[in-house]
């Protein structure tokens, strides 16, 4: 055996100018008999892989076959048609189920069953290790791409940011509408998609009336004034039309399904359109009031992830939230601390760019922002420190921007309340058994997966601004 092995080594030694492959390395330590045996094993392995792939293909075909009959049966049952065919369909499904059960039973009696759990555990460990690194790299890559793209749109101006918000609303509504979409039922419901999008655009028209008026102003101020005076009437006309169309679309056998879809449509319209209306108001007040809440939510999300990875379940073993089992107390508390620190420092960076502090109306008059009126919250003031802390710190006063305290309050909201938008999104995904709302952004899911906390944060910033920064003057009615 060793003599044959030496001959094999001499005959298979690579030349000096040729790299030694893994196959040649293996031949150096194998006899001719071993090589023949390995060849048989390799052939068996390839045959096994081929048969396994065929089995997978047949299983997918079987699943599609079963689903097609299930759709036919369900539709027939609700529409109360083709009653004579139902028994035949049930029999066909039973035959296919029996064939699958026989195949599965034969596989379960094979020798691989004994090693099933061990193989599964080893495979999961390898996949988890590889998957975690790959997911992190993908998440970071597309995360940076989104951040730089977002900053580019911010730099383009207020109008482009407003268009971005409107575009994101359309994509988010599409994702949420698809959550409850069932093709085999929608086929029998007249104007199913048209009605959903009709309600969405009706709400968008009502909420974005001033933006539509601004577009018409570029053509004619008279046209703008006419649109403004008819806005309420046009909005109501759209609402009344959609109301009648919705009622006329109700179909016997699908009433419950249509009512559920209608309720879901109204909920998504409220979440997306009316909450994000505050984001547009924040942009008009100044890009600062749009950038700040967005950045606070992003900071909180990132810090919760890294704090959870670093300290999760090491300090507090009590579960944080059943809706999101991956969330931990360490991640939540760490995100709160880092977000509040970030909220205190971040305004000092933003105030260096004067145009970010200017309102949209001021920039219309002077695009450079050189002459716009800066709100007093962005100007430094002297604050007295309480006597108790004076002895500890050794100073009697501190000079800072008033907006820094407002930012810290919003940072606390972004850490304590805004995450519940994410928990609500998690509840939706668990209710409908989906991992992400879409696969539009690799490593991040869909738009809704990134915007779930931004809705209520934009609303909170708008309310805070109109309450504590520039309160609206109430009407003195007599």
């Amino acid at each position: 055996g060793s003599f044959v092995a030496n001959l094999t080594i001499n005959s298979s030694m690579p030349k000096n100018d040729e790299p030694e492959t893994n196959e040649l390395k293996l031949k150096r330590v194998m006899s001719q008999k071993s090589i023949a045996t390995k060849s048989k094993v390799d052939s068996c392995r390839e045959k096994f892989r081929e048969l396994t792939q065929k089995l997978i293909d047949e299983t997918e075909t079987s699943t599609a076959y079963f689903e097609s009959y299930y759709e036919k049966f369900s539709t027939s049952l609700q529409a109360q048609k083709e009653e004579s065919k139902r028994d035949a369909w049930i029999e066909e499904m039973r035959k296919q189920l029996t064939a699958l059960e026989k195949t599965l039973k034969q596989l379960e009696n094979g020798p691989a069953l004994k090693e099933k759990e061990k193989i599964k555990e080893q495979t999961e460990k390898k996949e988890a290790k590889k998957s975690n690194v790959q997911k992190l790299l993908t998440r970071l890559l597309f995360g940076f791409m989104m951040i730089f793209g977002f900053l580019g749109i911010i730099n383009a101006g207020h109008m482009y940011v407003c268009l971005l918000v409107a575009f994101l609303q359309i994509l988010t509504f599409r994702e949420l509408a698809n959550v409850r979409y069932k093709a085999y039922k929608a086929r029998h419901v007249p104007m199913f998609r048209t009605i959903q999008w009709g309600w969405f655009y009706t709400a968008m028209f009502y909420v974005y009336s001033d933006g539509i008026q601004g577009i018409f102003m570029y053509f004619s101020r008279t046209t703008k004034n006419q649109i403004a005076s008819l806005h309420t009437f046009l909005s109501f006309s759209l609402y009344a039309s959609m109301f009648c169309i919705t009622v006329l679309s109700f179909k016997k056998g699908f009433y419950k399904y249509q009512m559920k879809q209608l309720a879901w449509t109204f909920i998504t319209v409220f979440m997306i359109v009316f909450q994000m209306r505050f984001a547009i108001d924040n942009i008009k007040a100044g890009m600062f009031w749009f950038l700040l809440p967005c950045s606070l939510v992003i900071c909180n999300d990132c810090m919760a992830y890294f704090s959870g990875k670093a300290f999760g379940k090491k300090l507090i073993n009590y579960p944080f939230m059943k809706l999101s089992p991956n969330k931990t107390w360490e991640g939540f508390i760490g995100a709160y601390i880092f977000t509040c620190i970030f909220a205190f420092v971040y305004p000092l960076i933003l105030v260096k760019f004067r145009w970010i502090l200017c309102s949209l109306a001021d920039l219309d008059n002077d695009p450079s922002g050189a002459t716009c009126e800066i709100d007093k919250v962005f100007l430094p003031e002297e604050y007295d420190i309480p006597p108790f802390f004076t002895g500890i710190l050794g100073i009697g006063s501190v000079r800072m921007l008033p907006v820094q305290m407002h930012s810290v309050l919003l940072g606390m909201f972004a850490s304590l309340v805004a995450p519940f938008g994410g928990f609500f999104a998690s509840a939706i995904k668990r209710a409908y058994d989906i991992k992400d709302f879409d696969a539009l952004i690799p490593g991040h899911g869909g738009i809704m997966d990134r915007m779930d906390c931004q809705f209520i944060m934009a609303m909170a910033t708008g309310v805070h601004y109109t309450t504590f920064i520039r309160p609206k003057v109430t009407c003195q009615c007599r």
Side-chain angles (χ1 to χ4, degrees), residues 147-411:
I147 290 171
F148 286 118
F150 178 69
L151 292 177
I153 295 173
I154 291 289
N155 190 57
H158 292 63
M159 185 59 68
Y160 292 95
V161 179
C162 290
L163 291 174
L164 172 66
V165 171
F167 181 63
L168 291 177
Q169 285 178 287
I170 293 171
L171 292 180
T172 309
F173 181 79
R174 170 185 161 275
E175 291 176 1
L176 288 174
N178 285 338
V179 168
R180 287 184 53 84
Y181 179 74
K182 295 181 180 179
Y184 65 89
K185 288 187 177 181
R187 285 201 303 264
H188 299 275
V189 178
M191 302 178 70
F192 176 81
R193 285 294 200 188
T194 305
I195 290 170
Q196 280 191 314
W197 284 100
W199 282 111
F200 174 73
Y201 285 118
T202 298
M204 290 282 280
F205 179 83
Y206 176 75
V207 167
Y208 287 103
S209 60
D210 49 355
I212 297 171
Q213 294 167 27
I215 293 171
F216 281 103
M217 187 176 67
Y218 286 101
F219 301 99
S220 169
R221 187 171 292 275
T222 305
T223 306
K224 179 216 178 234
N225 293 333
Q226 290 174 348
I227 294 293
S229 62
L230 293 173
H231 167 250
T232 304
F233 173 76
L234 292 173
S235 299
F236 175 74
S237 298
L238 285 172
Y239 172 81
S241 300
M242 285 307 307
F243 185 78
C244 294
I245 292 169
T246 302
V247 173
L248 291 173
S249 72
F250 291 153
K251 186 176 180 180
K252 186 178 180 181
F254 295 89
Y255 294 149
K256 184 180 289 187
Y257 175 71
Q258 287 179 287
M259 287 297 176
K260 288 179 179 179
Q261 290 292 351
L262 190 61
W264 179 249
T265 301
F266 288 155
I267 291 171
T268 53
V269 166
F270 170 77
M271 285 174 54
I272 297 168
V273 179
F274 291 99
Q275 283 192 111
M276 287 304 287
R277 165 65 191 183
F278 286 89
I280 301 298
D281 290 338
N282 296 341
I283 295 169
K284 291 179 184 177
M287 199 65 77
F288 177 93
W289 300 106
F290 176 74
L291 273 173
L292 179 65
C294 290
S295 302
L296 291 175
V297 169
I298 293 170
C299 174
N300 184 261
D301 190 28
C302 294
M303 290 300 103
Y305 177 80
F306 289 115
S307 298
K309 284 290 183 182
F311 306 104
K313 297 181 180 178
K314 293 179 181 178
L315 304 175
I316 305 173
N317 291 324
Y318 192 77
F320 176 68
M321 181 75 68
K322 290 183 179 180
L323 283 173
S324 299
N326 292 329
K327 299 288 192 300
T328 61
W329 281 104
E330 291 85 349
F332 185 77
I333 296 169
Y336 174 82
I337 295 170
F338 282 108
T339 304
C340 288
I341 295 171
F342 175 80
F344 186 78
V345 177
Y346 188 53
L348 297 175
I349 300 172
L350 292 181
V351 295
K352 295 182 182 296
F353 304 93
R354 188 181 180 89
W355 68 273
I356 288 179
L357 310 181
C358 300
S359 66
L360 181 58
D362 290 334
L363 289 177
D364 283 341
N365 299 324
D366 181 12
S368 66
T371 60
C372 76
E373 181 184 355
I374 301 298
D375 199 292
K376 61 181 182 180
V377 295
F378 299 116
L379 303 176
E381 293 184 11
E382 199 79 22
Y383 290 92
D384 293 330
I385 295 177
F388 175 77
F389 294 102
T390 301
I392 300 173
L393 301 174
I395 54 175
S397 62
V398 62
R399 189 173 177 80
M400 57 183 289
L401 303 178
V403 75
Q404 287 180 270
M405 297 308 299
H406 291 286
S407 180
V408 170
L409 289 174
L410 290 173

